[in-house]
């Protein structure tokens, strides 16, 4: 049986190599929590816009994007009997999960492959669990054996509906979706992640969204260095799952507005 594991990033991949779990590996390196998005995730135009945005925002080259992102995603063109999705509770991961599930729904016959989700929001004995990247290979196998669930067609329909709402970045539409959706299937961590998205969509009277205002507050509280601001934000707002490059998008905007100096 041919198996594919889609991992949520390179940090998880390091430990995954030692698990002994059978199958090929696709490392997901996109950040659907930021940047331009479209409903059709299989179109060439979608990935062209993603490449342009990533390259401009993170000073990346088209060649590196092709190698690190598109060449990985090309593995989905192969025929697999089983796909395992390894993603976490935060908005960063849940947005990527929605995009991948929408991609699979648009591209493949859901009767095959069988698709499974491994999605932890905690881990026994770890009071401050922040993600699978901090787990050992044995701990990843434990998750595989204990929390892995097979996704149904209903889960894929829900993911596509959520993706269509998410990409609009419309607070009222998202609020309605959250209020009117009563069944979340196996996507049990999607609602809190989308609630975090709802929280960051509006802007206040200073023209700042929730994340920008939180960063200003952290700065004004006395954390004047880049590492200090990142550390406090990660501690207080781990639901967003942002890496340092993503947070830097917001910091650079605040610097240009003259609200912080670091």
């Amino acid at each position: 049986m041919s198996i594919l594991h889609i991992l949520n990033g390179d940090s998880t991949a390091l430990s995954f190599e030692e698990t002994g779990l059978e199958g090929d590996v696709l490392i997901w390196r996109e950040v659907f929590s930021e940047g331009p998005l479209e409903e059709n995730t299989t179109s060439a135009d979608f990935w062209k816009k993603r490449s342009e945005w990533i390259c401009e925002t993170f000073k990346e080259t088209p060649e590196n994007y092709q190698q690190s992102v598109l060449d990985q995603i090309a593995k989905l063109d192969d025929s697999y009997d089983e796909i395992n999705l390894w993603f976490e509770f935060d908005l960063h991961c849940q947005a990527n999960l929605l995009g991948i599930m929408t991609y699979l729904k648009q591209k493949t016959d859901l009767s095959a492959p069988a698709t499974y989700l491994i999605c932890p929001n905690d881990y026994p004995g770890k009071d401050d669990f922040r993600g699978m990247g901090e787990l050992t290979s044995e701990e990843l196998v434990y998750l595989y054996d204990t929390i892995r669930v097979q996704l149904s067609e209903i889960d894929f329909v829900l993911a596509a509906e959520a993706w269509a709402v998410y990409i609009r970045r419309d607070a009222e539409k998202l609020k309605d979706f959250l209020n009117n959706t009563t069944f979340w299937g196996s996507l049990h961590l999607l609602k809190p992640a989308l609630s975090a998205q709802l929280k960051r969509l509006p802007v206040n009277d200073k023209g700042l969204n929730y994340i920008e205002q939180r960063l200003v507050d952290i700065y004004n509280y006395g954390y004047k260095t880049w590492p200090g601001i990142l550390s406090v934000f990660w501690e207080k707002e781990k639901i967003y799952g942002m890496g340092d490059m993503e947070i830097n998008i917001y910091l650079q905007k605040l610097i240009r507005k003259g609200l912080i100096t670091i």
Side-chain angles (χ1 to χ4, degrees), residues 8-246:
N8 66 327
D10 289 279
S11 58
T12 301
L14 290 174
S15 295
F16 188 86
E17 290 178 359
E18 307 299 324
T19 62
L21 292 172
E22 177 187 354
D24 298 333
V25 171
L26 186 165
I27 303 174
W28 189 264
R29 299 188 177 104
E30 253 287 2
V31 283
F32 287 166
S33 53
E34 305 290 341
L37 299 170
E38 297 177 1
E39 190 162 353
N40 185 359
T41 59
T42 65
S43 73
D45 184 64
F46 174 83
W47 294 105
K48 179 176 182 292
K49 290 178 180 176
R50 291 301 302 174
S51 177
E52 291 172 348
W53 181 82
I54 291 286
C55 290
E56 178 181 357
T57 304
F58 300 121
K59 310 306 177 186
E60 190 57 89
T61 66
E63 294 76 18
N64 283 343
Y65 185 84
Q66 176 70 43
Q67 182 179 23
S68 65
V69 177
L70 298 181
D71 289 351
Q72 287 285 307
I73 294 172
K75 294 178 182 179
L76 293 174
D77 293 332
D78 298 334
S79 179
Y80 287 97
D81 300 309
E82 177 183 301
I83 295 178
N84 293 286
L85 305 174
W86 296 76
F87 286 86
E88 293 159 3
F89 60 90
D90 54 75
L91 177 61
H92 171 96
C93 264
Q94 291 292 303
N96 285 332
L97 176 62
L98 288 180
I100 292 170
M101 290 181 66
T102 301
Y103 184 97
L104 292 172
K105 187 175 190 300
Q106 292 170 347
K107 194 174 184 63
T108 65
D109 176 1
L110 292 183
S111 64
T115 306
Y116 296 84
L117 176 64
I118 301 96
C119 186
N121 66 338
D122 55 25
Y123 192 91
K126 296 183 183 293
D127 294 335
D128 188 29
F129 177 70
R130 298 197 179 190
M132 292 184 288
E134 68 183 25
L135 300 182
T136 65
S137 57
E138 292 81 5
E139 289 168 334
L140 290 178
V141 172
Y142 171 83
L143 292 179
Y144 182 84
D145 290 340
T146 58
I147 70 168
R148 188 175 77 129
V149 295
Q150 184 169 3
L151 297 175
S152 68
E153 185 168 356
I154 293 175
D155 294 319
F156 278 90
V157 170
L158 174 61
E161 291 175 351
W163 177 256
V165 174
Y166 171 76
I167 64 173
R168 295 180 68 174
R169 294 186 173 91
D170 183 316
E172 287 304 314
K173 296 293 184 183
L174 181 53
K175 183 178 180 181
D176 288 343
F177 178 80
L178 289 169
N179 289 338
N180 295 330
T181 302
T182 57
F183 179 73
W184 295 89
S186 296
L187 305 182
H188 57 288
L189 298 178
L190 181 56
K191 185 174 183 178
L194 290 180
S195 296
Q197 169 72 354
L198 179 62
K199 200 172 181 179
R200 75 168 178 169
L201 286 176
V203 296
N204 60 22
D205 55 4
K206 299 176 184 176
L208 304 178
N209 70 11
Y210 176 77
I211 291 175
E212 292 159 351
Q213 186 61 59
R214 288 291 289 123
L215 291 171
V216 170
D217 292 342
I218 292 169
Y219 176 84
N220 289 336
Y221 194 73
Y223 295 90
K224 304 294 186 181
T225 67
W226 193 64
I229 293 172
L230 293 182
S231 178
V232 175
F233 186 85
W234 286 331
E235 178 184 356
K236 302 296 184 182
E237 303 291 346
K238 67 179 183 178
I239 185 61
Y240 289 101
M242 289 181 167
D244 53 0
M245 290 192 298
E246 293 166 79

